[in-house]
Structure formats: C-alpha cells, structure tokens
C-alpha cells in the first residue's frame, strides 16, 4: 500500500505495480473465459453478506482487494464467455476495455468541444461512422449513450420536440406487440400518458402489420387524437424479427409521422453481405437506436442514437447557462447540446479504438458467422421431432419449444431449460409469446463459435430425449 502522505497520488513505481497487478488479474480472467462455467451462483448469499460492510477509514492493499473481486466476478452469468446464448449477448471486445482504461485514466471531458477538441472530434467521427454504416445522409448527427434505453428516450424527446407542441397529451405512439419494453418506459419518462401508446398486432413472423398501422392512424384521427410517431423493430428480442420498414416508412410519410427504428440488437447486421437488403428502409428512418455493445460486441454501456436531421437533436436538448459561457459557442454544438447529459465519460474512444485497431472487416466477419450459426442451430432443431420451431431466424435468434401437448410442454419447458443450463457449458433463456413458454438461443458473442453452439444443440437433444422419451 502506498505510504505517501498523499495516497491519492501514488509515485510512478506504485502506479506501475498497481497497473501490473490489475493487468495480470484481467488477463488471467480473459484467458479462462472459455473454461469458466456458463453461470455460477452457488454460495452467493454468503458472498453477498461479505460485501455488506461499513466504509473503510483506512486503505487496504490492492492484492487482497483483487482476491475479493475474483469470486464476485465468478459468481454470475458468464456474459463474456462463448456459452452465453441468453437474452442478447454482449461480448466485451478487449480493445474496448483498453480504450476505457485510457479514457478514465486521462480523464478528459468531452461534453463541450472546447475542453478537449481533438478527443471530441474522435467521438464525433465515430458517430459519423455509425451514420454512414446505416446509410444516413451527411446532415445526420448522433450521440453515444449508456445503451438502448437512454437512446430510445432521447429519440422520443427529439421527435416530440419536432412534431408536437407543449400540449401533447392526445399524441399517439404506435408500436408492435414485440417492441422492447424500454420504449414504453421511455414514453412515460418523456411525459406521455399511457393512453398515448397504441400497440399493434404482428404477422405470423412477429413483424408489425403495415395495414394495421394505416387503419389505426385513420381511426385515431377520427377520434381527435394526434398520430405522430411509429417505432419499427429491427431485430426484436424474442425472435429477432425485422418489421417491414419500407412499407411502414411509406405510411408514416403519407401521414406525417416520425419513424424511429429500434435497431439496438439488429442494426449492425446491415454490415453483413445482404444486410442492406435485409434491413432496407432503415436509412429512411428519422432516428435509429443502435447498441454497439450488442452488434459490435463491445462492453456493456455503449449505445447510440442517430438522427437523420442532426439539428433536431440540438433543438430538443440544448440549454444555455452563464457559468459555461467560457467554453460554449453559439456557432458550435458539443455533446452536452445534443443529449440529456452534461457530465459524461469519453465514450467515443470505446468505439473508435476497436474500429481503428481491427477494422470494420473483422466485425463483419463475426456477424456473418453468427448468422450462419443461428441458421445451423435452427436446421438442427427443426430436424428433431421433439422440437417445435417458432420461425426460421431472421437474424441470430432461434425461438423454440418442446413438441408436446400444451400442458406437458408448459410443464417440461422450464425443466428442459434448467437441465441444459445446469450443465454450465451454455446458458439459454426463455420467454412467453401468445401465452406459450418458449426457449431462446441467441448467437451474438464474438467468442461463440461452432463448437459451443454444437454443444448447445447436443444438450437440448439429450435432455429433451430424457424428458419426452
């Protein structure tokens, strides 16, 4: 432990020792990811109790603290491991962690451009790359957020500012039955009453039905309501469904609605061969939510909101104050002018460094592999009479259930999930659709390859055979 009279300012030797200790700790963890169980919560209560402690008056040695952190990390879902096939995986590319280390250690502020012009430009360039990858025009701008929830919130605020006046209680937001629940939360936080949300049906492949949108808009107008926004899904959480974007955008344009694409999970599949055709129409949306911590495999905590008319972000978010007059300029816009946040970290490096270090081609290759693995898993399960497949994968999610009478399938489905996960080689999740219990397999981690997906299918087959005979 540093014996300096200024313990928050360790000398170079102590800094080096601390950095090496942490680096060794992290490197050992990353090297063991493939061998770690897919989840481990055994003995968690005792571990939790050990962390319920008073604030320490005196400092403690770093090696001992790292020893305590080891079990805290281990007793969890192994979300960065190759067997994590639950929910929507986030891989955690290591180069992004290096970027975070640099960003937090140097601790520069990028909320206003004048405070760190070159670093702000790095982040602005990174956002511009995302706009280009989504096919947006040069006038588009965006912000990096903590994730899709905040991105969707800021999108709704921006759309509200652009299309409505201060009395928006009769405004109507259209979404499908499969839209992520964070959109409803975002609407509530943005001041919309629950009555503003109009949930529309989906087709046999769980995509929003354009004709239902058209009919709802016309009906709401006759009722004195104010249709103003439709949310399209570009990769739903349950099945990876992609709404028919061109048709929906066309209807929205006819009726003057803002179109927001929730592409948090699916948007980056546009990079894969055929992706532009698969996600055709996303480039015509007014705003797009992306999660680089999903489709670009970066660590949790990096989302993005892109807006076709970049000026709309400033009109929705910009405020002025005399105490920042030294670092603000009416002619320029910083990230604090475009988002809800003034205090924020330098998120741009978390995106810029991996893209610069590896190139887009490396990420494209991974996305191609994930699509292929999901298709392979689907074909394997579809060929097994013990399983009923909900739909062929539109992206990299496979949803399925046991093929059995309803009551038996409902009873045995959770047991099948428990048994497969109990092997601790893969970790799957479940959901409910149309009142039916379903299992989900989502391939998205850059560490997940054919060997682990093959293990998942083998485990499902063996445990289904044991349950059904």
């Amino acid at each position: 432990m540093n014996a300096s009279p200024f313990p928050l300012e360790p000398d170079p030797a102590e800094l080096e020792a601390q950095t090496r200790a942490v680096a060794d700790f992290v490197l050992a963890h990353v090297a063991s990811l493939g061998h770690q169980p897919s989840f481990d919560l055994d003995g968690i209560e005792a571990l939790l109790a050990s962390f319920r402690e008073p604030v320490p008056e005196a400092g403690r040695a770093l090696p001992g603290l790292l020893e305590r952190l080891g079990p805290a990390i281990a007793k969890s879902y192994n979300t960065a491991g190759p067997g994590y096939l639950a929910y929507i995986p986030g891989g955690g590319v290591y180069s992004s962690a290096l970027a975070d280390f640099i960003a937090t250690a140097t601790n520069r502020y990028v909320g206003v451009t004048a405070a760190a012009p070159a670093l702000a430009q790095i982040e602005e360039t990174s956002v511009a790359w995302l706009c280009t990858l989504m096919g947006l025009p040069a006038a588009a701008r965006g912000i990096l957020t903590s994730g899709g929830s905040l991105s969707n919130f800021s999108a709704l605020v921006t759309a509200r500012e652009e299309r409505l006046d201060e009395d928006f209680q009769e405004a109507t937001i259209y979404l499908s039955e499969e839209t992520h629940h964070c959109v409803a939360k975002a609407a509530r936080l943005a001041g919309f009453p629950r009555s503003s949300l109009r949930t529309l049906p989906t087709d046999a492949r769980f995509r929003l039905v354009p004709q239902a949108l058209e009919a709802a808009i016309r009906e709401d107008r006759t009722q004195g309501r104010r249709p103003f926004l439709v949310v399209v899904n570009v990769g739903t959480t349950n099945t990876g469904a992609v709404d028919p974007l061109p048709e929906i955008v066309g209807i929205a344009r006819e009726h003057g609605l803002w179109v927001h694409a929730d592409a948090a999970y699916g948007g980056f599949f546009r990079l894969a061969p055929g992706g532009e055709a698969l996600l055709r129409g996303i480039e015509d949306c007014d705003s797009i939510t992306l999660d680089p911590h999903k489709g670009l495999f970066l660590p949790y905590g990096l989302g993005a909101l892109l807006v076709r008319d970049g000026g709309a972000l400033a009109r929705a978010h910009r405020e002025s104050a005399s105490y920042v007059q030294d670092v603000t300029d009416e002619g320029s816009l910083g990230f604090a002018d475009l988002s809800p946040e003034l205090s924020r970290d330098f998120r741009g490096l978390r995106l810029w460094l991996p893209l610069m270090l590896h190139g887009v081609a490396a990420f494209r290759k991974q996305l191609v592999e994930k699509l292929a693995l999901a298709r392979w898993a689907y074909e394997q399960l579809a060929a097994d009479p013990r399983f009923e497949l909900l739909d062929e994968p539109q992206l990299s999610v496979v949803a399925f259930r046991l093929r059995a009478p309803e009551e038996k399938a409902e009873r045995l489905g959770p047991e099948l999930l428990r048994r497969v996960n109990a092997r601790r080689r893969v970790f799957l999740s479940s959901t409910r659709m149309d009142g039916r219990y379903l299992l989900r397999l989502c391939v998205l981690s850059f560490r997940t390859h054919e060997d682990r997906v093959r293990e998942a299918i083998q485990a499902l087959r063996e445990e289904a055979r044991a349950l059904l005979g």
Side-chain angles (χ1 to χ4, degrees), residues 197-213:
L197 296 178
R198 182 78 175 266
T199 304
L200 302 175
T202 56
D203 63 17
R205 302 198 69 193
F206 310 101
R207 303 170 299 187
L208 190 152
V209 178
Q211 295 82 356
L213 172 64

Side-chain angles (χ1 to χ4, degrees), residues 194-239:
R194 295 185 188 277
S195 59
S196 289
L197 296 178
R198 182 78 175 266
T199 304
L200 302 175
T202 56
D203 63 17
R205 302 198 69 193
F206 310 101
R207 303 170 299 187
L208 190 152
V209 178
Q211 295 82 356
L213 172 64
E214 176 86 44
I217 292 170
R218 295 187 184 278
E219 178 185 347
D220 285 340
R221 284 237 163 90
T222 65
Q223 299 293 328
R225 299 194 62 82
R226 302 170 63 188
F228 99 101
L229 181 143
V230 58
V231 179
V232 291
N233 299 308
V234 183
T236 60
T237 300
N238 276 334
T239 66

Side-chain angles (χ1 to χ4, degrees), residues 265-401:
Y265 157 51
F268 286 109
F269 284 105
R270 194 175 190 271
L271 276 62
E276 289 189 23
L278 178 67
L279 305 187
R280 185 167 60 90
I282 194 172
E283 68 278 5
D284 297 320
C285 293
D286 295 295
S287 54
I288 304 171
T289 284
L290 296 171
D291 271 354
H293 67 216
K294 293 185 175 77
L296 289 185
F297 323 113
L298 303 187
Y300 292 121
L302 188 65
L305 171 64
L306 312 179
V307 179
R308 186 178 186 80
D309 173 7
L313 275 172
R315 292 190 289 272
H317 294 91
R318 192 173 197 184
E319 294 288 347
S320 61
S322 60
Y323 42 77
V324 290
Q325 64 185 13
D326 297 334
V327 289
T328 56
D329 180 354
E330 281 298 318
S332 65
L333 294 172
F335 295 114
D337 298 312
L338 306 176
S339 81
E341 298 175 288
L342 184 59
S343 297
R344 63 189 295 280
D345 55 342
F346 176 26
R347 297 187 183 114
L349 199 63
R350 192 182 305 167
L351 176 61
W352 182 86
L353 185 61
L355 285 173
M356 290 295 291
L357 188 62
H358 308 300
V360 174
F363 295 89
R364 182 180 292 111
K365 181 179 179 181
Q366 286 286 335
L367 289 166
V368 169
E369 181 190 32
K370 305 321 160 197
L371 291 169
L373 288 174
R375 171 62 61 172
W376 181 85
Y378 166 79
E379 291 171 350
Q380 295 298 308
L381 291 173
D384 192 316
R386 296 178 181 87
F387 295 101
E388 175 187 348
L389 278 296
L390 204 63
D391 184 25
E392 62 179 301
Q394 296 177 48
L395 296 175
S396 68
V397 175
V398 182
F400 58 97
R401 71 197 306 256

Side-chain angles (χ1 to χ4, degrees), residues 69-149:
L69 276 177
I73 294 168
K75 297 296 179 181
S76 61
Y77 296 172
N78 186 5
T79 50
Y84 192 74
L85 305 172
Y87 308 105
I88 304 292
V93 168
Y94 186 69
S95 55
S96 195
L98 296 177
D100 275 354
F101 178 75
I102 296 169
T104 55
T106 57
N107 199 34
R108 293 299 190 263
Y109 177 65
V110 299
V112 292
T113 302
L119 301 184
Q121 182 61 61
I122 285 174
E123 184 157 330
E124 188 172 332
T125 297
S126 301
V127 172
W129 289 343
L130 298 182
C131 291
T132 299
L133 292 174
M134 292 301 113
L136 293 176
R141 296 196 71 163
I143 54 172
L144 298 181
T145 70
S146 60
S149 294

